[in-house]
Amino acid sequence: LASWREQAKTENLAQHTTWRRLLYFFDDQKNLIGKKKDTSLVDDAGFFLSEKGAQDSGAELDALLVALAEEVAPTHNTVVKDNTANNSVLCRFPARVQWLTDTLNIDKTSWQAECPELDEWMQKLAPEQLSIMFAEEYLDNPISAFAHTLLRIDSKASVADPSQIHHAYALNYTVDGDPNDSFPVYAIKSMTGLYDNAIEIDPYPEKLAKYLQEDERDAWTYQLNLTPNEVQQIMLHVWETKGLELPYYFTTDNCASEVLRLIDVVRPQQHLLSRLPYAVVPSDVIQLLNEEDLLANPRYTPADNTVRQAALNQAKAAAKLGYQPLTKEAAQEIKSAERNPASSMSADSKTIRNLPIVAANNNPIDRHPLQMAQIGVGQRGDNNYIDVGVRAGFHDTLDRAAGFSQFFNLEGLAATLRLYDKDDNNSNYKQPDSVVLQNFTLLRGRSFNPVNSAQQGKTWGVSVEATRVNDGSQQDGTDHLVGSVGYETGWSWAFGTPSAGTGEMPPQLCYTLLSGTGQAGRGINKGFRVGAGVNAGCRYQINNQLRAQAELQLPYWYHTYQCQLRVARSRRCQ
């Protein structure tokens, strides 16, 4: 023990990056919610041997050394009495012990502890290789709108043949939420750490089926370039932490950040987690791992609706060549999930079928940056203006399509400033301010599921924003910033020729949406108004770099006041 202590002190192991990461200290992490550099994120006393372990990594290191010294068997054939029922530190904290014994070159044959539970768990999973699986963005379930990642644990059998998924397991980091909570409550608790995390380890086919068949989301899988020893160490660390109740933060401690944290434990020199922005989304992780050459052998697995869309595309192409239009009944037969249970997974869910479908253009490695800047020009009355805007994320239908599911549209935290070129010589109406905040969008999204495609689901949209309006109630004709919440529902149609051999929909999109909006603010008569209307538009894919969109909005606003002559001239009298 004295020798170990001296060596640990000489090498300052108590402050070693790996040791502190094993204890959930975040020395190189940004100041995120719930993360403090001088305190472990874990407040469970069972995770530490020392009473001061959560605040002092040195005290925890010394406590582990003492525990190891006490477990040295006096003779080769003697088993330490209290260690036969998984009570040994070797059984409780195998990753810490593994790192410490390797670092100090301790002869592990001197311990005689038995760890039947750990041994059984490792034998069941038989981890030989780890891969990261990415399920694409899915707007019809708001919790999955930003995509999802999990780790695939491969045994020797699934390494030899990746299609044999019944020999693999899924390691999934998710939120342990209350399903009885309403969605707003669920979302708030997920964002603020009021739910705990959950580490789930299930047969891989069960998890894959959820994404491919239930949600109908394409999946990409990438092998992680980790050594066998690193794979084993990660799994030992998962054993240590799988029962912890840690706060879950939807934007900072989620399925994506946990993958990087596990890799950081075995790659202390890379500091992956600290290189991401404050809010972490799964595609950020995929791109970062690709930049670090940690990804290999990408595999595309189309969702069930993608498989049916590929069959629909093929049938339409064949009908066109035969100068015979595809009948409505035949098309419906292909599109129907009940009548056409086509899938990438075999009927027994044991294997992935090798289908002749070209990979879609939704590989997250090809994704554009989420943060965008934009500029526009226009005219209002006699005043020209320039709009300058920024968007924190995510993607809209006019952005470059590569890296996202087709027609995906979700924007958040966007702001637009309007700079007016005022005509001070015009006295017919009040001139606007030189610079105004024209719009601040908290959230805006649309889910397009064209009725003539194999997509299942409705076409709908939602928006939560602050925007400038002029309802005609102001004597000077000025506009004001008001809060606005809107919802849309309707239909969409896809047109054109899809990419050959893929399960993609045709590239052109038209839609008709019935809308309802509520607005409130001091610039509106009596402080609020409600409206309904129709929004119709089309989006045209000119080429891979250029898109065009036109939309006509016909709103009808209801006010609780009578029109007066002085406001009638504003053309906003309702």
Side-chain angles (χ1 to χ4, degrees):
L1 176 59
S3 175
W4 295 344
R5 279 174 164 165
E6 182 64 27
Q7 187 177 352
K9 180 179 180 180
T10 301
E11 300 182 17
N12 196 24
L13 296 186
Q15 300 304 316
H16 194 284
T17 300
T18 297
W19 174 249
R20 289 178 63 82
R21 286 177 179 172
L22 285 168
L23 300 177
Y24 273 87
F25 286 89
F26 289 86
D27 298 321
D28 57 351
Q29 185 66 17
K30 301 179 180 69
N31 289 324
L32 303 183
I33 298 175
K35 293 184 179 180
K36 299 179 181 179
K37 295 183 178 182
D38 58 349
T39 305
S40 171
L41 185 62
V42 181
D43 59 4
D44 184 352
F47 189 66
F48 302 98
L49 294 171
S50 169
E51 293 182 358
K52 300 179 180 179
Q55 294 80 34
D56 188 344
S57 59
E60 184 64 19
L61 179 66
D62 190 69
L64 181 57
L65 291 175
V66 171
L68 289 175
E70 291 176 349
E71 292 181 3
V72 174
T75 64
H76 182 71
N77 295 322
T78 302
V79 176
V80 178
K81 183 178 180 181
D82 293 334
N83 294 337
T84 59
N86 305 289
N87 293 322
S88 166
V89 291
L90 282 78
C91 307
R92 294 172 58 194
F93 308 117
R96 299 183 209 177
V97 171
Q98 182 67 47
W99 176 79
L100 193 56
T101 54
D102 288 345
T103 304
L104 296 179
N105 295 317
I106 297 175
D107 181 9
K108 290 179 284 187
T109 60
S110 59
W111 288 295
Q112 299 294 314
E114 297 176 359
C115 305
E117 292 183 6
L118 173 60
D119 294 341
E120 181 182 359
W121 188 76
M122 291 294 286
Q123 290 170 8
K124 176 184 177 181
L125 299 180
E128 293 288 327
Q129 177 180 286
L130 293 177
S131 300
I132 184 170
M133 190 273 275
F134 174 91
E136 68 177 348
E137 296 82 4
Y138 181 58
L139 195 55
D140 286 352
N141 181 355
I143 296 297
S144 303
F146 301 99
H148 185 69
T149 53
L150 57 80
L151 288 179
R152 167 172 162 166
I153 307 169
D154 282 304
S155 63
K156 286 184 178 180
S158 56
V159 169
D161 184 357
S163 69
Q164 300 299 308
I165 56 175
H166 63 295
H167 292 300
Y169 283 85
L171 173 60
N172 186 38
Y173 185 90
T174 185
V175 57
D176 187 18
D178 186 348
N180 296 320
D181 284 343
S182 64
F183 174 74
V185 172
Y186 195 99
I188 291 172
K189 287 185 176 181
S190 298
M191 294 285 289
T192 57
L194 296 178
Y195 284 139
D196 289 330
N197 74 307
I199 296 178
E200 303 171 341
I201 300 179
D202 300 297
Y204 187 69
E206 293 181 9
K207 283 297 180 184
L208 187 61
K210 177 187 185 305
Y211 299 110
L212 299 183
Q213 299 176 349
E214 294 182 26
D215 293 349
E216 297 193 327
R217 301 157 65 181
D218 290 351
W220 286 86
T221 308
Y222 314 85
Q223 177 186 334
L224 291 173
N225 285 328
L226 300 172
T227 67
N229 288 338
E230 289 172 337
V231 171
Q232 294 296 313
Q233 181 69 346
I234 285 177
M235 294 310 301
L236 291 177
H237 181 56
V238 171
W239 167 265
E240 295 179 354
T241 59
K242 60 184 176 64
L244 294 176
E245 295 181 351
L246 298 173
Y248 180 94
Y249 296 95
F250 183 73
T251 56
T252 59
D253 289 279
N254 52 35
C255 64
S257 63
E258 182 65 6
V259 172
L260 295 187
R261 193 193 68 80
L262 291 174
I263 297 175
D264 273 346
V265 167
V266 297
R267 297 283 182 93
Q269 72 281 4
Q270 290 194 278
H271 308 282
L272 296 175
L273 191 56
S274 65
R275 293 176 54 187
L276 287 179
Y278 181 85
V280 182
V281 296
S283 54
D284 282 337
V285 170
I286 298 298
Q287 289 199 327
L288 177 58
L289 293 176
N290 184 62
E291 293 170 4
E292 294 296 309
D293 295 324
L294 281 167
L295 300 183
N297 302 325
R299 296 189 299 273
Y300 169 70
T301 308
D304 287 12
N305 64 337
T306 304
V307 177
R308 288 191 292 271
Q309 183 66 44
L312 183 63
N313 294 344
Q314 187 176 13
K316 287 183 176 180
K320 187 175 181 180
L321 288 175
Y323 302 100
Q324 289 274 336
L326 184 66
T327 66
K328 184 177 181 180
E329 292 74 16
Q332 192 60 38
E333 185 78 19
I334 296 172
K335 294 190 298 180
S336 173
E338 292 76 18
R339 286 178 277 174
N340 180 21
S343 179
S344 295
M345 298 180 66
S346 61
D348 60 7
S349 298
K350 290 186 176 181
T351 60
I352 296 274
R353 300 166 58 205
N354 185 20
L355 300 174
I357 298 178
V358 177
N361 190 29
N362 59 0
N363 188 336
I365 289 176
D366 301 325
R367 186 209 74 188
H368 62 72
L370 298 184
Q371 294 73 38
M372 301 286 284
Q374 59 189 26
I375 187 169
V377 296
Q379 187 178 49
R380 179 188 172 198
D382 294 330
N383 298 114
N384 299 322
Y385 64 80
I386 297 176
D387 280 346
V388 179
V390 293
R391 188 185 73 198
F394 198 65
H395 177 82
D396 69 32
T397 53
L398 286 178
D399 289 336
R400 182 166 56 87
F404 292 91
S405 57
Q406 204 170 2
F407 306 138
F408 183 74
N409 187 343
L410 178 63
E411 302 172 80
L413 298 180
T416 300
L417 291 178
R418 179 163 291 182
L419 288 67
Y420 280 102
D421 179 18
K422 299 196 299 183
D423 183 3
D424 293 327
N425 295 322
N426 191 335
S427 59
N428 292 330
Y429 63 94
K430 180 179 173 64
Q431 294 290 305
D433 294 334
S434 297
V435 180
V436 297
L437 176 62
Q438 184 66 23
N439 180 274
F440 175 79
T441 298
L442 181 63
L443 179 70
R444 181 190 296 124
R446 280 174 172 172
S447 176
F448 294 105
N449 293 294
V451 296
N452 61 336
S453 73
Q455 289 283 121
Q456 306 295 312
K458 299 179 180 180
T459 293
W460 59 275
V462 66
S463 63
V464 181
E465 59 187 341
T467 189
R468 286 196 168 269
V469 302
N470 178 0
D471 73 340
S473 65
Q474 303 301 310
Q475 185 173 7
D476 56 9
T478 57
D479 54 17
H480 295 271
L481 200 66
V482 301
S484 179
V485 177
Y487 182 78
E488 304 167 301
T489 184
W491 306 266
S492 59
W493 300 264
F495 299 98
T497 303
S499 300
T502 70
E504 294 180 355
M505 294 176 285
Q508 322 309 345
L509 179 74
C510 288
Y511 52 89
T512 298
L513 300 168
L514 306 178
S515 66
T517 307
Q519 294 180 340
R522 68 181 182 88
I524 300 176
N525 182 70
K526 294 191 177 180
F528 74 95
R529 67 175 180 172
V530 294
V534 177
N535 300 333
C538 288
R539 177 260 200 192
Y540 188 78
Q541 177 83 19
I542 300 173
N543 53 47
N544 288 335
Q545 304 299 325
L546 188 60
R547 288 149 297 282
Q549 182 168 336
E551 180 170 315
L552 175 66
Q553 298 182 353
L554 300 173
Y556 173 82
W557 294 101
Y558 174 73
H559 292 262
T560 57
Y561 72 97
Q562 297 295 322
C563 294
Q564 297 180 11
L565 180 62
R566 64 179 173 81
V567 300
R569 290 192 298 269
S570 70
R571 295 174 295 174
R572 286 284 184 173
C573 179
Q574 307 294 335

